[in-house]
Amino acid sequence: MHRVITIPAHPASSSHANALEFCHQLEAGNILLFPQSPIALTAEDLAFLRGLEHSHRSLHKNLAYKPLQDRIAGAKLASDDPAASQRLLHILRGYSRSTLQFLTEFLSPYTTRWQVDYASFRPLEEQGRSLPLHKRNDLLHTDAFPTRPTHGARILRFFTNIHPTQSREWVVGEPFRTLIPQMVPATTPAPRADGSLQRAVRSTLGRTPLGRAWPALRRSPYDQFMLRFHDVLKENADYQTNGQHTAVSLPPGSSWMVYTDSVPHAVLSGRFALEQTLLVAPEAMVAPEESPLAVLESLAGHRLV
Ligand code: SIN
Ligand code: FE
């Protein structure tokens, strides 16, 4: 079962032993919460970010910053308002760099073994957004990126709630390792349980990947499964209502991180969050047996990447 592990004031010098323990806690499906974010943002930048959505009606979704290209995805804001776009770029670049710098020490066992993925600004109120089922973030799901297969790398996300007064309200469920056996129909006799799940895993894996048309999209069997699992959870009304889950309040000014590929999560309300995603190499795991890749490979009985 997951826990929220609160890290009161982040230690000035974190030892390697601490860092190892934090990696363990994350890999076991816990959320690490910093009630006071270790990432500094100026009052002016915060005010700018909070004002952005009001002044730009075209901002109808999250904004992604691509650190490796040092640019913000989508040209709408840039063409509408080049000055605002430049300032936003500056702020997101700063957030991304500060977060990476912080994590380099805080999670030292992972350092140099991650790929820096996108950062994002989430300006919209999450409550009452009207989105198609598979895009809804208020339904429990594990993350998988349709356009960025990870080939077994883990999706680690670091969030910061920059709303001045309001908590971001999440719900989280038990992690992949204990969840996946329950996705087998309850009627399946125990000794056969693995067999039927194995068949389900295999049939999902059998689908033809898009990768033939676009090599960057080439998905491993692992990626195929994780994408499908994201949808399966959102489609499962019984799991959404009756599955084991708990409410987690993420206070204004806090940061938190979690492996969102294995911890089912949903955001019910809140607006104004910043986020940085890292793809951590499977070899960097301190408890490799907890990873979705290891769990699936042991069920499938063969390599999936
Ligand atoms: C998500 O990853 O599902 C959204 C989380 C959030 O924006 O708080
Ligand atoms: Fe998600």
Side-chain angles (χ1 to χ4, degrees):
M1 188 48 201
H2 83 276
R3 284 179 298 153
V4 175
I5 293 167
T6 302
I7 299 163
H10 85 95
S13 77
S14 48
S15 71
H16 188 75
N18 282 345
L20 204 57
E21 182 53 26
F22 293 138
C23 293
H24 263 292
Q25 288 166 341
L26 286 169
E27 290 176 36
N30 299 303
I31 296 182
L32 299 189
L33 171 66
F34 306 83
Q36 230 179 304
S37 176
I39 308 303
L41 287 145
T42 67
E44 293 75 21
D45 285 350
L46 290 171
F48 171 80
L49 291 173
R50 293 169 191 149
L52 204 51
E53 208 254 325
H54 300 292
S55 49
H56 292 275
R57 312 202 77 207
S58 61
L59 286 187
H60 59 281
K61 53 180 194 169
N62 296 332
L63 287 165
Y65 168 70
K66 302 183 173 185
L68 301 183
Q69 298 158 31
D70 190 34
R71 69 177 191 89
I72 291 168
K76 192 80 183 91
L77 182 63
S79 58
D80 283 3
D81 186 342
S85 166
Q86 274 309 307
R87 177 144 190 210
L88 181 64
L89 177 64
H90 179 78
I91 297 171
L92 292 183
R93 179 194 295 134
Y95 177 78
S96 177
R97 288 186 184 167
S98 307
T99 301
L100 294 172
Q101 197 174 7
F102 170 70
L103 294 179
T104 294
E105 200 185 323
F106 190 81
L107 298 179
S108 55
Y110 292 160
T111 310
T112 74
R113 296 152 100 183
W114 62 47
Q115 207 181 309
V116 179
D117 197 71
Y118 303 167
S120 63
F121 174 47
R122 299 160 182 245
L124 305 178
E125 173 54 57
E126 296 291 340
Q127 187 168 28
R129 280 179 79 175
S130 117
L131 291 167
L133 182 106
H134 289 156
K135 290 201 156 65
R136 280 176 60 180
N137 282 336
D138 60 337
L139 295 174
L140 285 155
H141 65 281
T142 46
D143 287 345
F145 303 137
T147 56
R148 280 135 44 233
T150 74
H151 301 273
R154 306 293 315 279
I155 302 174
L156 179 62
R157 300 187 117 168
F158 182 97
F159 293 87
T160 303
N161 179 358
I162 61 164
H163 194 285
T165 55
Q166 198 182 315
S167 291
R168 199 169 182 86
E169 301 296 341
W170 271 31
V171 172
V172 295
E174 60 191 307
F176 196 84
R177 193 163 70 96
T178 53
L179 175 63
I180 195 137
Q182 299 165 30
M183 290 288 134
V184 185
T187 50
T188 314
R192 298 259 167 238
D194 280 0
S196 73
L197 182 55
Q198 193 173 26
R199 278 193 298 281
V201 171
R202 284 194 177 137
S203 79
T204 307
L205 302 180
R207 297 171 190 218
T208 314
L210 268 175
R212 232 172 272 158
W214 190 1
L217 277 184
R218 206 160 276 153
R219 294 182 190 129
S220 63
Y222 169 77
D223 293 296
Q224 294 280 108
F225 184 87
M226 296 305 281
L227 260 186
R228 185 68 200 124
F229 194 63
H230 163 275
D231 292 353
V232 160
L233 290 184
K234 286 187 177 174
E235 288 161 8
N236 188 331
D238 181 54
Y239 170 69
Q240 294 295 330
T241 314
N242 303 316
Q244 192 189 72
H245 48 71
T246 348
V248 178
S249 247
L250 293 322
S254 69
S255 286
W256 61 101
M257 61 179 148
V258 58
Y259 272 115
T260 56
D261 56 356
S262 67
V263 178
H265 57 283
V267 55
L268 303 187
S269 69
R271 62 183 303 189
F272 303 130
L274 292 167
E275 173 268 338
Q276 171 70 58
T277 302
L278 295 172
L279 303 178
V280 188
E283 304 77 43
M285 295 297 110
V286 300
E289 70 286 355
E290 298 269 2
S291 75
L293 178 61
V295 170
L296 288 174
E297 286 189 338
S298 85
L299 286 167
H302 55 81
R303 305 280 320 260
L304 297 177
V305 292

